[in-house]
Amino acid sequence: MLAKVLSGAVIGVDGLVIQVEVDLALGLPAFATVGLPEGAVRESKDRVRAAIKNSGYDFPSRRITVNLAPAAVKKEGSGYDLPIALGILAAAELLNCPDLPRYGFVGELSLDGMVRPVRGVLPMVLAARAGNIRRFFVPADNAEEAAVVDGIEIIAVSRLHEAVEFLSGLSEPRPVRTDIEAVFRERGEYEVDFVEVKGQEYAKRALEVAAAGGHNILLSGVPGTGKTMMARRLPTILPDLTLDEAVETTKIYSTTGLLPGNMPLMVTRPFRSPHHTISDAGLIGGGQVPRPGEVSLAHNGVLFLDELPEFRKNVLEVLRQPLEDGVVTIARAATSLQFPARFMLVAAMNPCPCGFLGDPRRECTCTPVQVQHYRSRLSGPLLDRIDMHIEVPPVMVKEINAAAPGPSSKSMRKHVNDARQVQRHRFKQYKSVYSNARMNSRLTKKYCGLDSNSTDLLNQSIERLGLSARAYHRILKIARTIADLEGTADISSSHIAEAIQYRRMQHE
């Protein structure tokens, strides 16, 4: 007897519908799995055999062959346990369900028949919906995550016998529903707020500009000036996540197994802060079976690199592609995968190795050669790709005590949202452009026109500071963002002057 069941796989961060074919033939009892299965898939035969027996069903004493199609795609993970078990029961005529080939199933089986959660359920369900599968059975712990997808019935299964009873018509399954609006409303708040940052008005203004235009930013200052504190609060002033962005982000976290158990959908901007000892594969992704790295986990959010010069040079240089293209391409002999990596880069560094160059309270012990060597760890091409370079000055205790409460993240986010709304309208005909920072040279020329005074000011500054052509265009983009924050259609000389200030630190 032959039975066919549908399941799912994850290739990169995208789902793929897999057909599980189970054939029972006469001969000595045996269990073979074909279709490029890796270790966990090959071991499923022992879990499936024990789960079927311990659920009260007879395991057929036949020659069992399981084929996972398409055979050219490598299969990994334990999510095929449930569809294989149901296929065996159907092929042995212990399960009668005419619609079985039109349903999707995923789940790991324990030896007693319990259905355990698996990674990557969301992209699998998205692929199933695209494949016109109308009902998908998932582990109960994954049900809320899967039910985020509209247009397909999600059935939660806790044990193998529950799935058999549902399919046999002995009990009526209840589709799981996830109230997406409630998830956004209840879990869309951040735990930190910019109102907690005292002083540093210049740096906060720069971060607001960066958030409004999606610009990368480098913060430099002595230890204790609040660089990390402000960076951690940057996601709180970024525009609210749209549903499409939330699904994109959740797919990545679901695939890597990092989705919090009580959160079916990522509704806040991610903030990733890897340690400076991270490898290049850990940062951009990779491995024998390519996995998303930190740049992909920061997709639609913020990637914060603290102590930037302490990162290995080869690690920093691999950031060039995601900073320019918003994607990471991982090429292997067998396959080539693309991971999304559209993030805001926020970097922080000390002015010198000891950290106290320019500190009025502590003396710097570094020689000029040491300072130069420390700063030379950052290549010119990488610094050119960071739009804004900000000096964060020390704040005295008396200033902290006397400082009035600053603007809240909510008020700052309103300004950012207003500016982003202008940009969405401006770039609505360009699919890959969503903010001023993503403008190419042609769009920069089209939307960043200057009057004669602004042109003269910019040209003189470029000449005096020795900036590159890339820096020239980035200043124009920053000026465009400042004008958007002020609600003006034209870029004035004051906007250019402020934008130039955000590039000076690198050349002082």
Side-chain angles (χ1 to χ4, degrees):
M1 291 292 293
L2 176 67
K4 296 182 179 180
V5 184
L6 296 178
S7 186
V10 178
I11 309 299
V13 294
D14 297 317
L16 177 68
V17 175
I18 299 295
Q19 188 172 64
V20 180
E21 301 173 331
V22 181
D23 178 68
L24 267 59
L26 296 176
L28 294 175
F31 196 129
T33 304
V34 297
L36 283 185
E38 55 87 48
V41 182
R42 290 194 299 270
E43 292 172 353
S44 65
K45 61 183 180 181
D46 299 314
R47 294 191 297 271
V48 168
R49 180 183 288 108
I52 289 177
K53 289 182 177 180
N54 291 325
S55 296
Y57 305 104
D58 293 329
F59 190 83
S61 297
R62 303 271 187 95
R63 182 176 181 83
I64 302 173
T65 303
V66 177
N67 179 44
L68 306 176
V73 177
K74 189 172 184 179
K75 317 302 186 307
E76 58 177 353
S78 55
Y80 301 104
D81 291 3
L82 179 60
I84 290 174
L86 294 173
I88 290 173
L89 293 175
E93 299 183 340
L94 298 175
L95 168 62
N96 182 22
C97 178
D99 290 331
L100 184 66
R102 292 189 288 272
Y103 296 160
F105 304 86
V106 67
E108 176 187 335
L109 290 176
S110 65
L111 300 184
D112 63 354
M114 181 177 293
V115 182
R116 290 174 171 167
V118 296
R119 298 180 180 181
V121 166
L122 180 58
M124 292 181 198
V125 174
L126 288 169
R129 183 183 64 177
N132 296 320
I133 297 174
R134 56 191 179 94
R135 179 175 283 184
F136 208 95
F137 290 72
V138 302
D141 290 343
N142 294 126
E144 285 194 22
E145 172 194 343
V148 166
V149 182
D150 199 14
I152 182 172
E153 278 191 5
I154 301 299
I155 308 299
V157 179
S158 298
R159 304 189 70 86
L160 174 60
H161 71 81
E162 285 185 12
V164 175
E165 291 174 0
F166 289 155
L167 295 169
S168 301
L170 300 178
S171 61
E172 185 65 28
R174 293 184 179 180
V176 178
R177 298 280 185 268
T178 297
D179 189 343
I180 295 178
E181 292 185 1
V183 174
F184 272 92
R185 183 173 58 253
E186 296 170 3
R187 305 180 185 180
E189 297 296 325
Y190 295 89
E191 297 180 354
V192 294
D193 196 290
F194 258 103
V195 76
E196 300 156 357
V197 181
K198 299 294 182 66
Q200 300 294 11
E201 300 305 320
Y202 171 70
K204 286 190 284 189
R205 165 65 177 177
L207 288 169
E208 185 177 81
V209 172
H215 302 287
N216 303 317
I217 186 169
L218 171 63
L219 305 174
S220 176
V222 301
T225 55
K227 301 186 295 295
T228 301
M229 183 181 186
M230 289 186 287
R232 291 190 178 278
R233 283 155 179 76
L234 182 59
T236 68
I237 65 173
L238 290 175
D240 299 323
L241 271 178
T242 64
L243 179 58
D244 288 342
E245 288 177 328
V247 171
E248 282 182 359
T249 306
T250 306
K251 281 172 59 178
I252 299 169
Y253 279 75
S254 175
T255 301
T256 55
L258 297 177
L259 187 66
N262 62 344
M263 187 174 291
L265 190 67
M266 298 286 292
V267 294
T268 56
R269 299 272 177 184
F271 178 87
R272 303 295 299 183
S273 179
H275 193 260
H276 61 76
T277 57
I278 192 171
S279 66
D280 51 357
L283 186 62
I284 69 165
Q288 185 176 4
V289 178
R291 300 288 188 187
E294 290 291 332
V295 296
S296 295
L297 292 171
H299 181 62
N300 290 322
V302 173
L303 177 68
F304 177 51
L305 301 183
D306 200 5
E307 303 294 344
L308 185 65
E310 301 297 334
F311 285 79
R312 291 193 292 272
K313 193 166 187 177
N314 67 302
V315 173
L316 294 179
E317 293 306 309
V318 298
L319 282 173
R320 292 192 193 182
Q321 185 200 9
L323 286 176
E324 288 289 336
D325 303 333
V327 296
V328 170
T329 302
I330 306 295
R332 293 291 182 268
T335 184
S336 179
L337 298 175
Q338 279 196 341
F339 298 125
R342 193 175 64 237
F343 57 89
M344 271 189 65
L345 174 64
V346 181
M349 61 179 287
N350 295 328
C352 66
C354 77
F356 301 115
L357 181 64
D359 191 336
R361 295 166 296 180
R362 300 186 185 181
E363 183 179 356
C364 174
T365 59
C366 303
T367 66
V369 174
Q370 288 175 320
V371 174
Q372 179 61 29
H373 177 71
Y374 177 76
R375 295 184 178 180
S376 67
R377 296 178 185 176
L378 305 178
S379 69
L382 176 64
L383 289 176
D384 255 358
R385 286 171 169 80
I386 301 178
D387 303 358
M388 304 170 65
H389 305 95
I390 308 302
E391 183 75 45
V392 183
V395 179
M396 303 300 178
V397 175
K398 61 180 181 181
E399 296 176 6
I400 296 176
N401 295 331
S408 66
S409 292
K410 184 177 180 180
S411 64
M412 295 173 71
R413 186 165 65 244
K414 182 181 183 306
H415 298 155
V416 171
N417 273 323
D418 292 343
R420 285 290 185 102
Q421 183 62 35
V422 172
Q423 294 166 48
R424 280 192 291 269
H425 179 73
R426 177 184 299 138
F427 304 126
K428 60 183 178 181
Q429 57 184 327
Y430 308 104
K431 291 184 179 180
S432 61
V433 181
Y434 58 93
S435 66
N436 289 333
R438 304 301 299 178
M439 286 191 292
N440 56 30
S441 57
R442 181 173 60 85
L443 294 178
T444 303
K445 183 177 180 180
K446 180 177 180 180
Y447 293 112
C448 300
L450 303 179
D451 56 27
S452 58
N453 291 336
S454 300
T455 302
D456 291 342
L457 174 61
L458 179 56
N459 290 339
Q460 291 172 12
S461 301
I462 291 293
E463 185 70 23
R464 189 175 76 252
L465 296 175
L467 297 175
S468 67
R470 181 183 283 118
Y472 175 89
H473 284 97
R474 293 192 185 277
I475 289 175
L476 287 176
K477 295 176 188 179
I478 296 169
R480 177 69 270 169
T481 300
I482 296 170
D484 290 342
L485 278 170
E486 293 186 2
T488 59
D490 298 324
I491 299 175
S492 67
S493 56
S494 63
H495 302 146
I496 291 292
E498 182 178 353
I500 292 171
Q501 291 295 315
Y502 298 143
R503 294 289 303 192
R504 288 188 60 188
M505 186 202 80
Q506 178 186 356
H507 303 275
E508 289 180 346

